[in-house]
Amino acid sequence: RLGPRLAQMCFGFGADELHAPIVGERALRLGDNANNPALTRKEAVTLIRGAGLRPAERLSGDTVEELA
């Protein structure tokens, strides 16, 4: 929610979940959109893998699906 840089730092301190708006396509972070915390699914997966974790998505009914 506070952006990808803070999410990366939190993973380094032991966080194991990421809560963020996931969008199909994100506009450039310029002007009024500069602080938009939205991530695309690909950006979120890259961020999670970069922290040495396995990306997964929590679905309804508390089921978890690992992402390829």
Short mmCIF file of all heavy atoms in Angstrom, two decimals:
data_model
loop_
_atom_site.label_atom_id
_atom_site.label_comp_id
_atom_site.label_asym_id
_atom_site.label_seq_id
_atom_site.Cartn_x
_atom_site.Cartn_y
_atom_site.Cartn_z
N ARG A 1 0.81 -1.19 0.00
CA ARG A 1 0.00 0.00 0.00
C ARG A 1 0.86 1.26 0.00
O ARG A 1 0.44 2.30 -0.47
CB ARG A 1 -0.93 -0.04 1.20
CG ARG A 1 -1.89 1.07 1.21
CD ARG A 1 -2.91 0.93 2.29
NE ARG A 1 -3.71 2.12 2.20
CZ ARG A 1 -4.99 2.16 2.19
NH1 ARG A 1 -5.67 1.07 2.35
NH2 ARG A 1 -5.63 3.27 2.04
N LEU A 2 2.05 1.16 0.54
CA LEU A 2 2.92 2.33 0.59
C LEU A 2 3.97 2.35 -0.52
O LEU A 2 4.81 3.21 -0.54
CB LEU A 2 3.60 2.41 1.96
CG LEU A 2 2.64 2.61 3.12
CD1 LEU A 2 3.39 2.57 4.44
CD2 LEU A 2 1.86 3.90 3.00
N GLY A 3 3.92 1.37 -1.40
CA GLY A 3 4.81 1.38 -2.54
C GLY A 3 5.78 0.23 -2.57
O GLY A 3 6.04 -0.42 -1.56
N PRO A 4 6.33 -0.03 -3.75
CA PRO A 4 7.22 -1.18 -3.92
C PRO A 4 8.54 -1.09 -3.16
O PRO A 4 9.05 -2.09 -2.70
CB PRO A 4 7.45 -1.24 -5.42
CG PRO A 4 7.01 0.05 -5.97
CD PRO A 4 6.05 0.65 -4.99
N ARG A 5 9.08 0.07 -2.99
CA ARG A 5 10.36 0.20 -2.27
C ARG A 5 10.21 -0.17 -0.80
O ARG A 5 11.04 -0.88 -0.24
CB ARG A 5 10.91 1.61 -2.41
CG ARG A 5 11.39 1.89 -3.80
CD ARG A 5 12.03 3.23 -3.91
NE ARG A 5 12.40 3.47 -5.28
CZ ARG A 5 12.70 4.65 -5.76
NH1 ARG A 5 12.66 5.70 -4.98
NH2 ARG A 5 13.04 4.78 -7.02
N LEU A 6 9.13 0.28 -0.19
CA LEU A 6 8.89 -0.07 1.20
C LEU A 6 8.57 -1.56 1.33
O LEU A 6 8.98 -2.21 2.29
CB LEU A 6 7.76 0.78 1.79
CG LEU A 6 7.50 0.58 3.28
CD1 LEU A 6 8.76 0.85 4.09
CD2 LEU A 6 6.39 1.48 3.75
N ALA A 7 7.87 -2.12 0.35
CA ALA A 7 7.58 -3.55 0.36
C ALA A 7 8.87 -4.36 0.34
O ALA A 7 9.02 -5.32 1.09
CB ALA A 7 6.69 -3.92 -0.82
N GLN A 8 9.83 -3.96 -0.49
CA GLN A 8 11.11 -4.65 -0.55
C GLN A 8 11.81 -4.59 0.80
O GLN A 8 12.36 -5.58 1.27
CB GLN A 8 12.01 -4.02 -1.61
CG GLN A 8 11.66 -4.41 -3.01
CD GLN A 8 12.59 -3.77 -4.01
OE1 GLN A 8 12.92 -2.59 -3.91
NE2 GLN A 8 13.01 -4.55 -4.98
N MET A 9 11.79 -3.45 1.44
CA MET A 9 12.42 -3.30 2.74
C MET A 9 11.73 -4.20 3.78
O MET A 9 12.39 -4.86 4.59
CB MET A 9 12.38 -1.85 3.20
CG MET A 9 13.18 -1.61 4.47
SD MET A 9 13.24 0.12 4.93
CE MET A 9 11.63 0.32 5.66
N CYS A 10 10.42 -4.26 3.74
CA CYS A 10 9.67 -5.10 4.68
C CYS A 10 9.99 -6.57 4.50
O CYS A 10 10.11 -7.31 5.48
CB CYS A 10 8.17 -4.86 4.53
SG CYS A 10 7.66 -3.22 5.07
N PHE A 11 10.15 -7.02 3.25
CA PHE A 11 10.53 -8.41 3.00
C PHE A 11 11.88 -8.70 3.65
O PHE A 11 12.11 -9.77 4.19
CB PHE A 11 10.61 -8.72 1.50
CG PHE A 11 9.27 -8.90 0.85
CD1 PHE A 11 9.04 -8.41 -0.43
CD2 PHE A 11 8.24 -9.58 1.48
CE1 PHE A 11 7.83 -8.60 -1.05
CE2 PHE A 11 7.02 -9.77 0.86
CZ PHE A 11 6.81 -9.27 -0.41
N GLY A 12 12.78 -7.73 3.59
CA GLY A 12 14.10 -7.89 4.21
C GLY A 12 14.03 -8.03 5.72
O GLY A 12 14.91 -8.63 6.34
N PHE A 13 12.99 -7.49 6.33
CA PHE A 13 12.83 -7.57 7.78
C PHE A 13 11.89 -8.71 8.19
O PHE A 13 11.47 -8.78 9.33
CB PHE A 13 12.32 -6.25 8.34
CG PHE A 13 13.40 -5.22 8.48
CD1 PHE A 13 13.59 -4.29 7.47
CD2 PHE A 13 14.21 -5.19 9.59
CE1 PHE A 13 14.59 -3.34 7.58
CE2 PHE A 13 15.22 -4.25 9.72
CZ PHE A 13 15.41 -3.33 8.70
N GLY A 14 11.52 -9.59 7.24
CA GLY A 14 10.76 -10.77 7.59
C GLY A 14 9.30 -10.80 7.20
O GLY A 14 8.61 -11.77 7.51
N ALA A 15 8.80 -9.77 6.53
CA ALA A 15 7.40 -9.80 6.09
C ALA A 15 7.22 -10.96 5.11
O ALA A 15 8.12 -11.30 4.36
CB ALA A 15 7.01 -8.49 5.42
N ASP A 16 6.04 -11.59 5.13
CA ASP A 16 5.81 -12.70 4.21
C ASP A 16 4.55 -12.53 3.38
O ASP A 16 4.15 -13.43 2.67
CB ASP A 16 5.78 -14.03 4.95
CG ASP A 16 4.70 -14.10 6.00
OD1 ASP A 16 4.00 -13.10 6.20
OD2 ASP A 16 4.56 -15.15 6.63
N GLU A 17 3.92 -11.36 3.45
CA GLU A 17 2.75 -11.07 2.62
C GLU A 17 2.84 -9.66 2.08
O GLU A 17 3.40 -8.78 2.71
CB GLU A 17 1.45 -11.22 3.42
CG GLU A 17 1.05 -12.64 3.68
CD GLU A 17 -0.38 -12.75 4.16
OE1 GLU A 17 -1.15 -11.79 3.99
OE2 GLU A 17 -0.70 -13.80 4.69
N LEU A 18 2.26 -9.48 0.91
CA LEU A 18 2.22 -8.18 0.26
C LEU A 18 0.76 -7.87 -0.06
O LEU A 18 0.09 -8.67 -0.71
CB LEU A 18 3.04 -8.22 -1.03
CG LEU A 18 3.03 -7.01 -1.94
CD1 LEU A 18 3.68 -5.82 -1.24
CD2 LEU A 18 3.77 -7.32 -3.23
N HIS A 19 0.27 -6.76 0.43
CA HIS A 19 -1.10 -6.32 0.14
C HIS A 19 -1.00 -5.07 -0.72
O HIS A 19 -0.48 -4.06 -0.28
CB HIS A 19 -1.87 -6.00 1.43
CG HIS A 19 -2.04 -7.17 2.31
ND1 HIS A 19 -3.12 -8.00 2.21
CD2 HIS A 19 -1.27 -7.67 3.29
CE1 HIS A 19 -3.02 -8.96 3.11
NE2 HIS A 19 -1.89 -8.78 3.77
N ALA A 20 -1.47 -5.18 -1.95
CA ALA A 20 -1.36 -4.04 -2.86
C ALA A 20 -2.44 -4.13 -3.92
O ALA A 20 -2.87 -5.23 -4.26
CB ALA A 20 0.01 -4.03 -3.52
N PRO A 21 -2.85 -2.98 -4.45
CA PRO A 21 -3.76 -3.04 -5.59
C PRO A 21 -3.01 -3.62 -6.80
O PRO A 21 -1.92 -3.20 -7.11
CB PRO A 21 -4.13 -1.58 -5.85
CG PRO A 21 -3.48 -0.77 -4.80
CD PRO A 21 -2.56 -1.63 -4.02
N ILE A 22 -3.59 -4.65 -7.42
CA ILE A 22 -2.99 -5.25 -8.61
C ILE A 22 -3.80 -4.78 -9.82
O ILE A 22 -5.02 -4.92 -9.85
CB ILE A 22 -3.00 -6.79 -8.53
CG1 ILE A 22 -2.25 -7.27 -7.29
CG2 ILE A 22 -2.43 -7.42 -9.79
CD1 ILE A 22 -0.76 -7.01 -7.31
N VAL A 23 -3.11 -4.21 -10.78
CA VAL A 23 -3.78 -3.68 -11.97
C VAL A 23 -3.27 -4.41 -13.21
O VAL A 23 -2.18 -4.96 -13.21
CB VAL A 23 -3.53 -2.16 -12.11
CG1 VAL A 23 -4.17 -1.39 -10.96
CG2 VAL A 23 -2.05 -1.84 -12.18
N GLY A 24 -4.08 -4.42 -14.24
CA GLY A 24 -3.68 -5.04 -15.49
C GLY A 24 -2.59 -4.25 -16.20
O GLY A 24 -1.67 -4.80 -16.76
N GLU A 25 -2.72 -2.95 -16.13
CA GLU A 25 -1.75 -2.06 -16.76
C GLU A 25 -1.66 -0.80 -15.93
O GLU A 25 -2.68 -0.25 -15.51
CB GLU A 25 -2.22 -1.74 -18.18
CG GLU A 25 -1.18 -1.09 -19.03
CD GLU A 25 -1.67 -0.94 -20.47
OE1 GLU A 25 -2.08 -1.94 -21.07
OE2 GLU A 25 -1.65 0.20 -20.94
N ARG A 26 -0.46 -0.34 -15.65
CA ARG A 26 -0.28 0.82 -14.79
C ARG A 26 0.22 2.00 -15.62
O ARG A 26 1.08 1.85 -16.49
CB ARG A 26 0.74 0.49 -13.70
CG ARG A 26 1.01 1.61 -12.75
CD ARG A 26 2.03 1.26 -11.69
NE ARG A 26 3.20 0.56 -12.15
CZ ARG A 26 4.25 1.13 -12.75
NH1 ARG A 26 4.26 2.42 -12.99
NH2 ARG A 26 5.28 0.42 -13.13
N ALA A 27 -0.32 3.17 -15.35
CA ALA A 27 0.15 4.39 -16.01
C ALA A 27 1.52 4.77 -15.46
O ALA A 27 1.90 4.34 -14.37
CB ALA A 27 -0.84 5.52 -15.77
N LEU A 28 2.26 5.55 -16.20
CA LEU A 28 3.56 6.01 -15.73
C LEU A 28 3.42 6.78 -14.42
O LEU A 28 2.45 7.49 -14.22
CB LEU A 28 4.23 6.90 -16.78
CG LEU A 28 4.64 6.21 -18.07
CD1 LEU A 28 5.19 7.25 -19.05
CD2 LEU A 28 5.66 5.14 -17.80
N ARG A 29 4.39 6.65 -13.56
CA ARG A 29 4.37 7.34 -12.26
C ARG A 29 4.91 8.76 -12.44
O ARG A 29 6.03 9.06 -12.06
CB ARG A 29 5.19 6.56 -11.25
CG ARG A 29 4.51 5.29 -10.83
CD ARG A 29 5.21 4.63 -9.66
NE ARG A 29 4.42 3.53 -9.18
CZ ARG A 29 4.84 2.28 -9.14
NH1 ARG A 29 6.05 1.98 -9.53
NH2 ARG A 29 4.05 1.33 -8.70
N LEU A 30 4.07 9.60 -13.03
CA LEU A 30 4.43 11.00 -13.26
C LEU A 30 3.31 11.90 -12.76
O LEU A 30 2.14 11.51 -12.77
CB LEU A 30 4.64 11.25 -14.76
CG LEU A 30 5.74 10.43 -15.44
CD1 LEU A 30 5.67 10.64 -16.95
CD2 LEU A 30 7.09 10.83 -14.92
N GLY A 31 3.63 13.10 -12.36
CA GLY A 31 2.63 14.09 -11.95
C GLY A 31 1.77 13.60 -10.80
O GLY A 31 2.27 13.15 -9.78
N ASP A 32 0.44 13.67 -10.97
CA ASP A 32 -0.48 13.25 -9.92
C ASP A 32 -0.40 11.75 -9.65
O ASP A 32 -0.80 11.27 -8.61
CB ASP A 32 -1.93 13.60 -10.30
CG ASP A 32 -2.17 15.10 -10.28
OD1 ASP A 32 -1.40 15.81 -9.60
OD2 ASP A 32 -3.13 15.55 -10.95
N ASN A 33 0.13 10.99 -10.59
CA ASN A 33 0.23 9.54 -10.46
C ASN A 33 1.58 9.10 -9.87
O ASN A 33 1.86 7.92 -9.77
CB ASN A 33 0.04 8.91 -11.84
CG ASN A 33 -0.34 7.47 -11.77
OD1 ASN A 33 -1.04 7.05 -10.86
ND2 ASN A 33 0.14 6.69 -12.73
N ALA A 34 2.40 10.05 -9.44
CA ALA A 34 3.76 9.75 -8.98
C ALA A 34 3.78 8.82 -7.77
O ALA A 34 4.69 8.01 -7.62
CB ALA A 34 4.51 11.04 -8.66
N ASN A 35 2.83 8.93 -6.87
CA ASN A 35 2.83 8.12 -5.65
C ASN A 35 1.83 6.97 -5.70
O ASN A 35 1.45 6.44 -4.66
CB ASN A 35 2.55 9.01 -4.44
CG ASN A 35 3.68 9.99 -4.22
OD1 ASN A 35 4.84 9.65 -4.38
ND2 ASN A 35 3.33 11.22 -3.88
N ASN A 36 1.41 6.58 -6.88
CA ASN A 36 0.45 5.50 -7.03
C ASN A 36 1.11 4.17 -6.65
O ASN A 36 2.08 3.75 -7.27
CB ASN A 36 -0.05 5.43 -8.48
CG ASN A 36 -1.13 4.41 -8.69
OD1 ASN A 36 -1.39 3.59 -7.82
ND2 ASN A 36 -1.74 4.46 -9.85
N PRO A 37 0.61 3.47 -5.62
CA PRO A 37 1.25 2.23 -5.17
C PRO A 37 0.85 0.99 -5.97
O PRO A 37 1.33 -0.10 -5.70
CB PRO A 37 0.75 2.10 -3.73
CG PRO A 37 -0.60 2.72 -3.76
CD PRO A 37 -0.49 3.86 -4.74
N ALA A 38 -0.02 1.14 -6.96
CA ALA A 38 -0.51 -0.01 -7.72
C ALA A 38 0.63 -0.72 -8.44
O ALA A 38 1.56 -0.10 -8.94
CB ALA A 38 -1.57 0.42 -8.72
N LEU A 39 0.57 -2.05 -8.46
CA LEU A 39 1.55 -2.87 -9.14
C LEU A 39 0.84 -3.74 -10.16
O LEU A 39 -0.30 -4.12 -9.96
CB LEU A 39 2.25 -3.81 -8.15
CG LEU A 39 3.12 -3.21 -7.07
CD1 LEU A 39 3.52 -4.30 -6.08
CD2 LEU A 39 4.34 -2.57 -7.67
N THR A 40 1.55 -4.09 -11.21
CA THR A 40 1.01 -5.12 -12.10
C THR A 40 1.37 -6.47 -11.49
O THR A 40 2.25 -6.57 -10.63
CB THR A 40 1.62 -5.02 -13.52
OG1 THR A 40 3.02 -5.27 -13.44
CG2 THR A 40 1.35 -3.67 -14.17
N ARG A 41 0.70 -7.51 -11.91
CA ARG A 41 0.99 -8.86 -11.38
C ARG A 41 2.46 -9.22 -11.63
O ARG A 41 3.14 -9.75 -10.77
CB ARG A 41 0.08 -9.87 -12.04
CG ARG A 41 0.20 -11.26 -11.49
CD ARG A 41 -0.82 -12.20 -12.11
NE ARG A 41 -2.19 -11.72 -11.99
CZ ARG A 41 -2.96 -11.87 -10.91
NH1 ARG A 41 -2.50 -12.50 -9.88
NH2 ARG A 41 -4.19 -11.41 -10.89
N LYS A 42 2.97 -8.87 -12.82
CA LYS A 42 4.37 -9.18 -13.16
C LYS A 42 5.33 -8.43 -12.23
O LYS A 42 6.33 -8.99 -11.78
CB LYS A 42 4.63 -8.81 -14.62
CG LYS A 42 6.00 -9.18 -15.11
CD LYS A 42 6.16 -8.86 -16.58
CE LYS A 42 7.55 -9.22 -17.05
NZ LYS A 42 7.73 -8.94 -18.48
N GLU A 43 5.05 -7.16 -11.94
CA GLU A 43 5.90 -6.40 -11.02
C GLU A 43 5.89 -7.00 -9.62
O GLU A 43 6.93 -7.09 -8.96
CB GLU A 43 5.44 -4.94 -10.95
CG GLU A 43 5.71 -4.14 -12.18
CD GLU A 43 5.05 -2.77 -12.16
OE1 GLU A 43 3.98 -2.60 -11.54
OE2 GLU A 43 5.63 -1.86 -12.78
N ALA A 44 4.71 -7.42 -9.16
CA ALA A 44 4.60 -8.02 -7.83
C ALA A 44 5.38 -9.33 -7.75
O ALA A 44 6.10 -9.58 -6.77
CB ALA A 44 3.14 -8.23 -7.46
N VAL A 45 5.27 -10.16 -8.78
CA VAL A 45 5.99 -11.43 -8.81
C VAL A 45 7.50 -11.18 -8.80
O VAL A 45 8.25 -11.83 -8.06
CB VAL A 45 5.56 -12.28 -10.03
CG1 VAL A 45 6.51 -13.44 -10.28
CG2 VAL A 45 4.15 -12.78 -9.84
N THR A 46 7.97 -10.23 -9.58
CA THR A 46 9.38 -9.89 -9.63
C THR A 46 9.87 -9.39 -8.27
O THR A 46 10.95 -9.78 -7.80
CB THR A 46 9.65 -8.83 -10.72
OG1 THR A 46 9.22 -9.34 -11.98
CG2 THR A 46 11.11 -8.44 -10.79
N LEU A 47 9.08 -8.57 -7.63
CA LEU A 47 9.42 -8.02 -6.32
C LEU A 47 9.54 -9.15 -5.28
O LEU A 47 10.50 -9.21 -4.52
CB LEU A 47 8.33 -7.04 -5.88
CG LEU A 47 8.51 -6.36 -4.55
CD1 LEU A 47 9.58 -5.29 -4.64
CD2 LEU A 47 7.20 -5.73 -4.11
N ILE A 48 8.60 -10.07 -5.30
CA ILE A 48 8.59 -11.17 -4.33
C ILE A 48 9.75 -12.14 -4.59
O ILE A 48 10.45 -12.54 -3.66
CB ILE A 48 7.23 -11.90 -4.36
CG1 ILE A 48 6.14 -10.94 -3.86
CG2 ILE A 48 7.26 -13.17 -3.54
CD1 ILE A 48 4.73 -11.39 -4.15
N ARG A 49 9.96 -12.48 -5.86
CA ARG A 49 11.08 -13.38 -6.18
C ARG A 49 12.43 -12.74 -5.85
O ARG A 49 13.35 -13.41 -5.43
CB ARG A 49 11.04 -13.77 -7.65
CG ARG A 49 9.99 -14.79 -7.93
CD ARG A 49 10.27 -15.55 -9.22
NE ARG A 49 9.24 -16.55 -9.40
CZ ARG A 49 8.37 -16.56 -10.39
NH1 ARG A 49 8.41 -15.62 -11.31
NH2 ARG A 49 7.46 -17.50 -10.46
N GLY A 50 12.53 -11.44 -6.06
CA GLY A 50 13.75 -10.71 -5.74
C GLY A 50 14.10 -10.77 -4.26
O GLY A 50 15.25 -10.65 -3.87
N ALA A 51 13.08 -10.96 -3.42
CA ALA A 51 13.30 -11.07 -1.98
C ALA A 51 13.61 -12.51 -1.58
O ALA A 51 13.76 -12.81 -0.40
CB ALA A 51 12.07 -10.57 -1.23
N GLY A 52 13.68 -13.43 -2.57
CA GLY A 52 13.98 -14.82 -2.29
C GLY A 52 12.78 -15.62 -1.82
O GLY A 52 12.94 -16.68 -1.22
N LEU A 53 11.57 -15.13 -2.09
CA LEU A 53 10.34 -15.81 -1.68
C LEU A 53 9.61 -16.37 -2.90
O LEU A 53 9.91 -16.00 -4.04
CB LEU A 53 9.43 -14.82 -0.94
CG LEU A 53 10.03 -14.20 0.31
CD1 LEU A 53 9.12 -13.08 0.83
CD2 LEU A 53 10.24 -15.25 1.39
N ARG A 54 8.67 -17.26 -2.68
CA ARG A 54 7.86 -17.82 -3.76
C ARG A 54 6.53 -17.08 -3.83
O ARG A 54 5.79 -17.04 -2.85
CB ARG A 54 7.59 -19.30 -3.52
CG ARG A 54 8.84 -20.14 -3.65
CD ARG A 54 8.54 -21.58 -3.45
NE ARG A 54 7.72 -21.73 -2.22
CZ ARG A 54 7.46 -22.86 -1.63
NH1 ARG A 54 7.91 -23.97 -2.13
NH2 ARG A 54 6.75 -22.90 -0.53
N PRO A 55 6.20 -16.48 -4.97
CA PRO A 55 4.94 -15.74 -5.08
C PRO A 55 3.73 -16.67 -5.10
O PRO A 55 3.75 -17.73 -5.72
CB PRO A 55 5.08 -14.99 -6.40
CG PRO A 55 6.09 -15.77 -7.18
CD PRO A 55 6.99 -16.42 -6.18
N ALA A 56 2.69 -16.27 -4.39
CA ALA A 56 1.43 -17.01 -4.36
C ALA A 56 0.31 -15.99 -4.19
O ALA A 56 0.54 -14.88 -3.71
CB ALA A 56 1.41 -18.01 -3.22
N GLU A 57 -0.88 -16.38 -4.60
CA GLU A 57 -2.04 -15.48 -4.50
C GLU A 57 -3.08 -16.11 -3.59
O GLU A 57 -3.41 -17.28 -3.72
CB GLU A 57 -2.63 -15.25 -5.90
CG GLU A 57 -3.77 -14.27 -5.91
CD GLU A 57 -4.25 -14.00 -7.32
OE1 GLU A 57 -3.74 -14.61 -8.28
OE2 GLU A 57 -5.16 -13.17 -7.46
N ARG A 58 -3.57 -15.33 -2.63
CA ARG A 58 -4.62 -15.80 -1.73
C ARG A 58 -5.96 -15.59 -2.42
O ARG A 58 -6.30 -14.50 -2.82
CB ARG A 58 -4.58 -15.04 -0.41
CG ARG A 58 -5.54 -15.59 0.62
CD ARG A 58 -5.41 -14.87 1.94
NE ARG A 58 -4.06 -14.81 2.44
CZ ARG A 58 -3.48 -15.77 3.18
NH1 ARG A 58 -4.14 -16.86 3.46
NH2 ARG A 58 -2.26 -15.62 3.61
N LEU A 59 -6.71 -16.67 -2.58
CA LEU A 59 -8.00 -16.64 -3.25
C LEU A 59 -9.12 -16.72 -2.22
O LEU A 59 -8.88 -16.87 -1.03
CB LEU A 59 -8.10 -17.80 -4.24
CG LEU A 59 -6.98 -17.87 -5.28
CD1 LEU A 59 -7.06 -19.16 -6.07
CD2 LEU A 59 -7.05 -16.66 -6.20
N SER A 60 -10.36 -16.67 -2.68
CA SER A 60 -11.49 -16.77 -1.77
C SER A 60 -11.49 -18.14 -1.08
O SER A 60 -11.00 -19.12 -1.63
CB SER A 60 -12.81 -16.56 -2.52
OG SER A 60 -12.98 -17.57 -3.48
N GLY A 61 -12.03 -18.18 0.11
CA GLY A 61 -12.07 -19.42 0.86
C GLY A 61 -10.72 -19.77 1.48
O GLY A 61 -10.47 -20.92 1.81
N ASP A 62 -9.84 -18.81 1.59
CA ASP A 62 -8.50 -18.98 2.17
C ASP A 62 -7.65 -20.02 1.43
O ASP A 62 -6.78 -20.64 2.02
CB ASP A 62 -8.58 -19.31 3.65
CG ASP A 62 -8.94 -18.10 4.49
OD1 ASP A 62 -8.62 -16.97 4.04
OD2 ASP A 62 -9.52 -18.27 5.56
N THR A 63 -7.91 -20.25 0.15
CA THR A 63 -7.04 -21.11 -0.63
C THR A 63 -5.90 -20.27 -1.19
O THR A 63 -6.05 -19.08 -1.45
CB THR A 63 -7.80 -21.79 -1.79
OG1 THR A 63 -8.36 -20.78 -2.62
CG2 THR A 63 -8.89 -22.70 -1.29
N VAL A 64 -4.75 -20.90 -1.36
CA VAL A 64 -3.57 -20.20 -1.85
C VAL A 64 -3.09 -20.89 -3.11
O VAL A 64 -2.95 -22.11 -3.15
CB VAL A 64 -2.45 -20.20 -0.78
CG1 VAL A 64 -1.19 -19.55 -1.32
CG2 VAL A 64 -2.92 -19.49 0.48
N GLU A 65 -2.86 -20.10 -4.15
CA GLU A 65 -2.40 -20.63 -5.45
C GLU A 65 -1.02 -20.08 -5.72
O GLU A 65 -0.82 -18.86 -5.78
CB GLU A 65 -3.37 -20.19 -6.54
CG GLU A 65 -2.98 -20.64 -7.92
CD GLU A 65 -3.95 -20.12 -8.97
OE1 GLU A 65 -5.15 -20.34 -8.82
OE2 GLU A 65 -3.47 -19.48 -9.92
N GLU A 66 -0.04 -20.97 -5.87
CA GLU A 66 1.32 -20.54 -6.17
C GLU A 66 1.39 -20.07 -7.62
O GLU A 66 0.82 -20.69 -8.51
CB GLU A 66 2.30 -21.68 -5.94
CG GLU A 66 3.72 -21.19 -5.88
CD GLU A 66 4.66 -22.19 -5.25
OE1 GLU A 66 4.24 -22.93 -4.35
OE2 GLU A 66 5.83 -22.22 -5.68
N LEU A 67 2.07 -18.96 -7.86
CA LEU A 67 2.18 -18.38 -9.20
C LEU A 67 3.44 -18.87 -9.89
O LEU A 67 4.48 -19.00 -9.27
CB LEU A 67 2.18 -16.85 -9.13
CG LEU A 67 0.95 -16.23 -8.48
CD1 LEU A 67 1.13 -14.74 -8.33
CD2 LEU A 67 -0.29 -16.54 -9.30
N ALA A 68 3.34 -19.13 -11.16
CA ALA A 68 4.48 -19.63 -11.94
C ALA A 68 5.39 -18.50 -12.34
O ALA A 68 5.10 -17.38 -12.39
CB ALA A 68 4.00 -20.37 -13.17
#
